[in-house]
Amino acid sequence: MARRPLPSILSTGSAQIARSRELARTAADSATDVLHPLITITRGLRRLASAGRRRWAETPKDRRGPLLFLVASLILVVALVPYGPLLAVITLMAAAAWQGRDRTPPAPDGPDESQIQRLQVLHEALVPYFSTADDPAPLYAHGGDWETVFPTQEFDDSGRVSRLVIRYPAFFPDGEAAPRARIEQLLAAKSGRGREYLFVWDEEGNELTLSVLAPLPTDIAAQRFVTAPGETVLGFTDPSRVLRTLPLTHGEDRRDVPPVVWRTGIRSTEPHLLAVGQPGSGTSTLLRSIALQALQHGEVLVIEGGGTGEYACLTGRDGVLGVEVGLAGALAALEWAVHETERRLIAANRARQAGDPPPQDTKQPLWILVDRPTAFTHLADTDGRKDPQSLLQVPLRHGRAVGVTVVVAEQFDALDSLSDAVRQHTRARVALGPASKQQLEAVLGAPPHTTPVDHTPPGRGYARLGSGPVHRLQVPATPDPYDDATSDAQRQAVLDLLPPRSKPPADTESPPPVPVEVVLTKPVETDATDAEVTKATAADAVAADSVGAEQVSSAGG
């Protein structure tokens, strides 16, 4: 992702705070180095004083008088002896320095016995993959020395490997995906399951670096993100993968977190998104998060195939055109979306032919959020109706030019039921929940750079925007505020982001009103090509001139 300059509000906020913290930390380190002897002596004097008070408290009361007489006699003798006070001060300072020394045991040099055993097990496990029978000087051999192949080792508090540099022979086919995958799977199993590992292959130097990735934060709630129009925050990732951060509020704290930003609009190369996951993996949470961000600058139409009421909180809100949960309502709403896309194409084409800028209503973002569209496929076949997925072809193919964005969420077991249009035109991909590397590669188009784990929190997964790299992803917590299992803090965070209701909620089965001012003389077929759509829009523009340009330009979504 390209590096973007931070907004001006951040240049005077978090940037100055970060510089101030760095300067304060540097000044504190310098002061500690200069004043280290004084700190040590002060610590020693405090310890000597504490020891004296304990000794005085432990002395019986009948012996405290003789003890005071003895101490006074010693002080008198020292005062009368030549150079006695000076020698006493030197002795006291030496005793204080000795008592105030750092008594922390030094860190062990090198791995301990249990860590050595782990490294030896890893070495023995790699022997069959990194050795051959005809190698005159094998780098790996049973019973060999692990120090020659593991030059760098780091361990966590539990004694497991946290970072490891592995040397391998030059004949190993590190340019092939299958051998590399076998090595990565072996190292992940032997180093400890339940963690995410990052593998970096240095093919020139014949070195493999294994690193354990820290878990992504799961406590980031939905909030207003500092983004420009046309930017949507899908979630958050590792700091090493992106060059941009967003200031986030977490309770009373404020921190900068690297985001995964999806850009839509006329210049976007991935204008539509497909999110796939298992039940409970967080795809509905992702769609709610996208809807709350989209409502800041545009309108939203929600089609829910699951029928669980996950989006009831959006019903009747300003900017929400409808929340459809039934087959009839979904068909009517998507047919309206097709006509609206065609209307925008006609209006924009007429404005370009006249040399005018596109009308404002053709640039207003329209978001079509479809959750589990394959659930309607069986119902449509049973009732003999059209599959709602066929109506998504026109918004998917031509929506980018007129501000129409489609987001589809589906489960892994129903991927085969998705239409070709949904698969071809959703170049932004998100995979949430536990999944194998084969499943992730089928959805994302490329394998992830880390090892997937079996147990993941809701909203955890991977994202890939077009042909870019695969990012680890954690979706911000955006639960259903009407769910009893939602915490009060997260419920209030979502309710604060919802637009107000200026009108009572409409019937969920009734579709948005179709504008009657637009009469399409040549409706675009769902299997039409781009050239056919262009011809149809031009013909419609000529036919609509007789009706009046004012009526067409005033027809709204």
Side-chain angles (χ1 to χ4, degrees):
M1 300 175 66
R3 185 186 183 104
R4 290 175 51 86
L6 291 175
S8 59
I9 187 175
L10 299 182
S11 61
T12 59
S14 60
Q16 290 184 357
I17 293 175
R19 288 194 297 268
S20 301
R21 290 177 178 174
E22 186 65 25
L23 291 175
R25 189 179 299 109
T26 303
D29 293 340
S30 301
T32 301
D33 294 337
V34 173
L35 302 176
H36 180 70
L38 181 60
I39 294 173
T40 302
I41 293 175
T42 304
R43 187 190 306 121
L45 291 174
R46 186 172 62 253
R47 291 177 180 176
L48 290 176
S50 299
R53 286 195 300 268
R54 288 195 304 269
R55 182 62 183 271
W56 176 261
E58 294 174 357
T59 303
K61 293 184 178 181
D62 56 345
R63 296 184 180 180
R64 291 182 179 179
L67 180 60
L68 285 176
F69 179 76
L70 178 60
V71 172
S73 301
L74 291 176
I75 294 175
L76 180 61
V77 171
V78 170
L80 296 177
V81 172
Y83 304 103
L86 179 60
L87 293 177
V89 171
I90 293 175
T91 304
L92 180 62
M93 294 297 104
W98 176 256
Q99 290 293 329
R101 71 187 187 280
D102 188 6
R103 300 181 182 181
T104 304
D109 188 9
D112 55 20
E113 294 296 332
S114 62
Q115 296 170 354
I116 291 175
Q117 186 177 2
R118 286 181 177 271
L119 295 176
Q120 191 65 35
V121 169
L122 283 175
H123 176 270
E124 295 293 330
L126 293 173
V127 169
Y129 301 94
F130 289 155
S131 63
T132 57
D134 54 352
D135 190 354
L139 187 62
Y140 286 81
H142 290 291
D145 186 10
W146 58 266
E147 295 182 357
T148 59
V149 296
F150 301 148
T152 304
Q153 325 95 27
E154 295 180 9
F155 299 87
D156 57 13
D157 297 336
S158 62
R160 295 191 297 179
V161 175
S162 60
R163 185 175 182 275
L164 185 65
V165 177
I166 304 169
R167 294 175 180 171
Y168 58 88
F171 59 79
F172 179 75
D174 51 6
E176 301 178 8
R180 291 169 60 158
R182 287 195 297 267
I183 297 300
E184 293 176 0
Q185 182 179 6
L186 172 66
L187 291 174
K190 295 297 183 181
S191 300
R193 298 184 182 275
R195 302 187 296 175
E196 291 187 80
Y197 296 93
L198 172 64
F199 297 96
V200 179
W201 292 81
D202 181 9
E203 300 180 5
E204 295 181 353
N206 295 326
E207 286 187 351
L208 168 62
T209 302
L210 176 150
S211 303
V212 178
L213 296 176
L216 295 176
T218 59
D219 54 354
I220 299 177
Q223 55 191 277
R224 296 295 184 198
F225 301 117
V226 183
T227 56
E231 292 184 343
T232 303
V233 176
L234 299 179
F236 307 97
T237 185
D238 301 303
S240 60
R241 304 297 295 180
V242 296
L243 301 177
R244 177 182 178 181
T245 59
L246 288 181
L248 301 179
T249 302
H250 176 61
E252 297 181 354
D253 299 333
R254 194 175 183 87
R255 56 182 173 177
D256 295 337
V257 181
V260 177
V261 178
W262 173 38
R263 295 177 178 86
T264 57
I266 191 172
R267 294 179 178 82
S268 174
T269 57
E270 47 277 339
H272 310 293
L273 181 138
L274 173 62
V276 185
Q278 301 288 357
S281 59
T283 54
S284 299
T285 297
L286 175 62
L287 260 64
R288 273 191 299 270
S289 175
I290 293 176
L292 293 178
Q293 298 179 64
L295 288 173
Q296 300 181 49
H297 307 286
E299 297 175 324
V300 174
L301 175 62
V302 181
I303 310 296
E304 182 186 358
T308 57
E310 293 279 346
Y311 308 95
C313 60
L314 299 174
T315 304
R317 301 285 180 175
D318 292 347
V320 180
L321 301 179
V323 179
E324 306 298 335
V325 296
L327 177 60
L331 287 173
L334 291 178
E335 286 178 358
W336 173 86
V338 172
H339 292 307
E340 172 65 11
T341 305
E342 294 170 347
R343 184 199 67 80
R344 292 188 177 201
L345 288 170
I346 295 172
N349 182 60
R350 180 181 295 110
R352 285 193 293 268
Q353 290 180 353
D356 299 329
Q360 187 63 32
D361 59 350
T362 64
K363 297 187 294 183
Q364 177 76 5
L366 172 61
W367 292 74
I368 304 174
L369 308 182
V370 186
D371 193 355
R372 295 194 63 191
T374 59
F376 291 121
T377 302
H378 177 70
L379 297 177
D381 292 341
T382 303
D383 295 344
R385 299 187 180 185
K386 184 185 299 184
D387 187 359
Q389 291 189 72
S390 62
L391 298 174
L392 291 174
Q393 184 171 3
V394 172
L396 284 170
R397 179 175 293 182
H398 307 288
R400 178 180 63 174
V402 289
V404 179
T405 303
V406 180
V407 180
V408 179
E410 194 49 77
Q411 297 181 4
F412 276 107
D413 55 1
L415 282 179
D416 296 337
S417 301
L418 288 176
S419 63
D420 294 337
V422 173
R423 295 185 181 186
Q424 293 174 3
H425 296 285
T426 52
R427 289 178 45 83
R429 299 292 181 89
V430 173
L432 300 178
S436 62
K437 274 200 170 185
Q438 291 76 16
Q439 290 177 317
L440 294 175
E441 187 172 1
V443 174
L444 303 174
H449 63 284
T450 63
T451 56
V453 295
D454 297 333
H455 302 285
T456 59
R460 176 70 57 81
Y462 298 91
R464 189 186 187 206
L465 305 179
S467 58
V470 179
H471 299 278
R472 280 206 310 165
L473 181 71
Q474 178 62 51
V475 178
T478 316
D480 181 9
Y482 297 161
D483 188 358
D484 295 337
T486 303
S487 64
D488 294 338
Q490 294 182 352
R491 178 184 294 108
Q492 190 60 41
V494 176
L495 292 176
D496 292 341
L497 298 178
L498 288 173
R501 281 195 177 104
S502 58
K503 56 184 178 180
D507 185 7
T508 56
E509 291 294 332
S510 60
V514 180
V516 297
E517 294 85 354
V518 178
V519 180
L520 298 177
T521 60
K522 289 186 180 181
V524 181
E525 299 295 334
T526 56
D527 56 349
T529 61
D530 293 340
E532 293 171 346
V533 171
T534 303
K535 293 180 180 179
T537 54
D540 290 334
V542 174
D545 287 337
S546 60
V547 180
E550 293 80 8
Q551 292 181 342
V552 176
S553 61
S554 63

